[in-house]
Amino acid sequence: MPIDIDYSNLKPSDWLPTSVKEMKALGWDSVDVVLFSGDAYVDHPSFAAAVIGRSLQAAGFRVAIVPQPNWQDDLRDFRKFGRPRLFFGISAGAMDSMVNHYTASRRRRSDDAYTPGGRHGARPDYPTIVYSRILRELYPDAPIVAGGIEASLRRFSHYDYWEDRLRPSIIADAQADMLLYGMGEKTIVELARRLDAGEHISDITDLRQSVLLRPLSEIPGASDENNIVLASYETCVADKRSQSTNFKHIEQQSNRLDGGSTIWQATGKRAVKANPMHPAMTQGEIDASFDLPYTRLPHPRYRGKAIPAYEMIRHSVNMHRGCFGGCAFCTISAHQGKFIASRSKESIIREARQVTRMPDFKGYISDLGGPSANMYGMSGRDKEQCARCFRPSCLHPLPCRNLNTDHGPLLDIYRSVDALPGVKKSFVGSGVRYDLSMHVTGNADIDRTNRRYNEELIRNHVSGRLKVAPEHTSDSVLAVMRKPSFKLFKEFKAIFDRVNSQSGLRQQLIPYFISSHPGCTEEAMAELAVETKSLDFHLEQVQDFTPTPMTVATEIYYTGIHPYTGQEVFCPTDANEKKRQRMFFFWYDPEYRREITSSLHRIGRPDLITRLFGDRPPHRYETPVPHRTGARNPRQSQKTGSKPAVQSDRRQSKGPRKNRKP
């Protein structure tokens, strides 16, 4: 059901123009920049096109947005604004298009959360390539700049699960002059200013967070303190171990405090050059981005149509960017880096007040969160140690001793937001890292504060269900995932149950799990079924591992080799193997009982049969018991960290077969 939005108090000048008519209403005859996006235009700090457009606008440039252009007609959407004065910007949207379009079994999805009405088919596969090629044909001499999640995570040679092959850097396939990776406000504004000053885009080769094609002759003869020379794309196609080694360098440099080194990779007859990342935004910089004059609404062109991704986050507030968890299957740090950029308390409160003034606000902030909800304000105490660090995770295998894990500033934000007029309660809907809030630092004050955080979170900020992500129960699988031992989840569950009992609450703890992850076997899944049964869970939030570009888990899946150890890792790649692993999530469905029993005999674990099913022999026909089902959507594992969650992938499951809707 779409929200009934009142646009009567808004003027044409409150939006970035999406049509020539809207541009004329602003008194413009032309624009400096035209942005093409695979998403609908929602003027909100969680939607990238709005953030980039507003950032350019604040820098004094005239910007137009073409959301979800039609690439199958006479291309009028690509022609309507003509050639911009500075450049065209293109993005596939808030997610990689292939994650958005296809399931883990490579089946076409029937919906798209970033499209009005949730309909599918509003963008092509690989919009970065499709949009850029159209624009290059129409405007041969116009600068074209690619950005967004799809371009960012495909900036070097990468395994594409949907084509089942290693692809080169996307800039080698797209007809773009430059690719901007990571969070783009600073980079896009600097590029616009340099072009505005008269520089030619082909001469801008030193822009941070940019990727471009250069002559092979420019590649240094060897790696040094400022340059890393990767194995060529062609070498990686022929030798998977070279691809694995490349990835280690790429991930380490993506997580350097100072942005790391310039990275080079020969691809065909050209060299891909990736300049270093910007350091994490300062508090002033991230405040400036979130404080831009967003209407916080979908553009009026979508009047009467619901945009599911917007519905999910319209009453939420994102407090920071970056994630130092380093989960093996997640792309956040590859896009945002592991160093946290936190907004000021004042900026967060300003946005929360904006939410309270929305006509449909009923008193509940749906999420005070971020990529990981409880990393706000955290960093290393000694920045010199951080500058020397190459660890992709500050939490695995154990929390870094240099990490300040004080949850006190976060508690202060929660209490201050709850004290605002009109706010009945604020919830935390983003994932919480319980290994972070439960970590014993040895500092009595911080440990006391963190215990209080867990209790206040459970008592005051859970909307009936708290989502956490243990991901598996096997320590060996969790080690590959870069996640803590399942014992810690059990300890957190004990805290959750105790606080609920003491407070007279009946809230649910919803754990997220993944099957078929590298390192995971059928036996590990069988033990997961037994372990979760013993905790009285009928699992809801589950997913099959989906390899997405630029994660260590994907590199292991493709190469069979762990990039950091060089050792071979078992990877479930066969469709039948994946199906057998997944069915253990639903051990409680009678339809799976015979298959599970057969599998347990085959893998030599008949001892688990009684622990799962008791002594009662299976009947040929059994009536399924009622239960909730669900599956996580890999479309959320690639999240950018701004809401809505953009790429780690949680999706409602179709669940056991007898409960599927036709």
Side-chain angles (χ1 to χ4, degrees), residues 361-531:
F361 183 68
K362 306 300 183 184
Y364 300 98
I365 302 284
S366 62
D367 186 19
L368 286 175
S372 287
N374 57 322
M375 291 184 182
Y376 175 80
M378 295 184 187
S379 64
R381 295 182 181 89
D382 181 351
K383 296 300 187 291
E384 290 186 4
Q385 286 189 41
C386 293
R388 296 191 299 270
C389 180
F390 282 84
R391 284 178 58 175
S393 171
C394 301
L395 296 179
H396 182 81
L398 293 171
C400 177
R401 287 177 292 181
N402 187 44
L403 181 64
N404 175 16
T405 65
D406 184 4
H407 285 62
L410 195 51
L411 282 173
D412 181 47
I413 297 287
Y414 292 171
R415 294 164 184 168
S416 298
V417 170
D418 282 354
L420 290 174
V423 175
K424 297 176 183 177
K425 184 169 278 194
S426 62
F427 297 115
V428 176
S430 305
V432 173
R433 289 296 300 242
Y434 53 81
D435 52 336
L436 181 59
S437 61
M438 294 175 65
H439 174 58
V440 178
T441 67
N443 182 306
D445 290 336
I446 291 178
D447 291 345
R448 188 182 308 111
T449 296
N450 292 357
R451 287 194 297 271
R452 189 164 63 248
Y453 171 82
N454 284 329
E455 293 179 357
E456 289 197 23
L457 168 73
I458 296 165
R459 185 178 296 113
N460 301 326
H461 301 287
V462 175
S463 181
R465 316 173 92 202
L466 179 63
K467 298 176 182 179
V468 293
E471 307 295 5
H472 214 282
T473 59
S474 164
D475 282 350
S476 63
V477 178
L478 289 166
V480 179
M481 291 178 163
R482 294 179 180 159
K483 297 287 287 187
S485 170
F486 192 66
K487 294 177 183 177
L488 202 60
F489 170 77
K490 291 200 248 186
E491 293 175 19
F492 183 77
K493 183 179 183 299
I495 297 170
F496 185 86
D497 292 343
R498 173 178 59 80
V499 174
N500 271 274
S501 177
Q502 292 173 346
S503 305
L505 298 171
R506 299 184 63 185
Q507 300 175 141
Q508 290 180 293
L509 189 64
I510 307 298
Y512 285 26
F513 289 96
I514 297 176
S515 62
S516 302
H517 191 278
C520 185
T521 62
E522 279 187 74
E523 184 175 6
M525 289 302 299
E527 291 173 342
L528 181 151
V530 170
E531 187 76 62

Side-chain angles (χ1 to χ4, degrees), residues 9 19 75 131 165 230 241 265 295 394 400 411 418 455:
N9 294 325
S19 68
L75 307 180
Y131 294 170
R165 72 179 179 99
L230 303 177
R241 191 168 288 275
Q265 184 179 35
T295 64
C394 301
C400 177
L411 282 173
D418 282 354
E455 293 179 357

Side-chain angles (χ1 to χ4, degrees), residues 156-184:
F156 297 105
S157 61
H158 58 278
Y159 174 65
D160 187 292
Y161 172 70
W162 297 272
E163 291 192 340
D164 192 24
R165 72 179 179 99
L166 196 72
R167 293 185 65 121
S169 167
I170 197 168
I171 197 170
D173 287 329
Q175 297 293 312
D177 296 283
M178 184 180 289
L179 182 161
L180 304 183
Y181 69 94
M183 307 305 285

Side-chain angles (χ1 to χ4, degrees), residues 100-120:
N100 185 288
H101 285 171
Y102 299 95
T103 68
S105 58
R106 298 187 176 95
R107 292 179 180 172
R108 185 84 177 185
R109 298 188 192 274
S110 60
D111 62 343
D112 184 337
Y114 293 86
T115 299
R119 66 183 178 87
H120 69 93

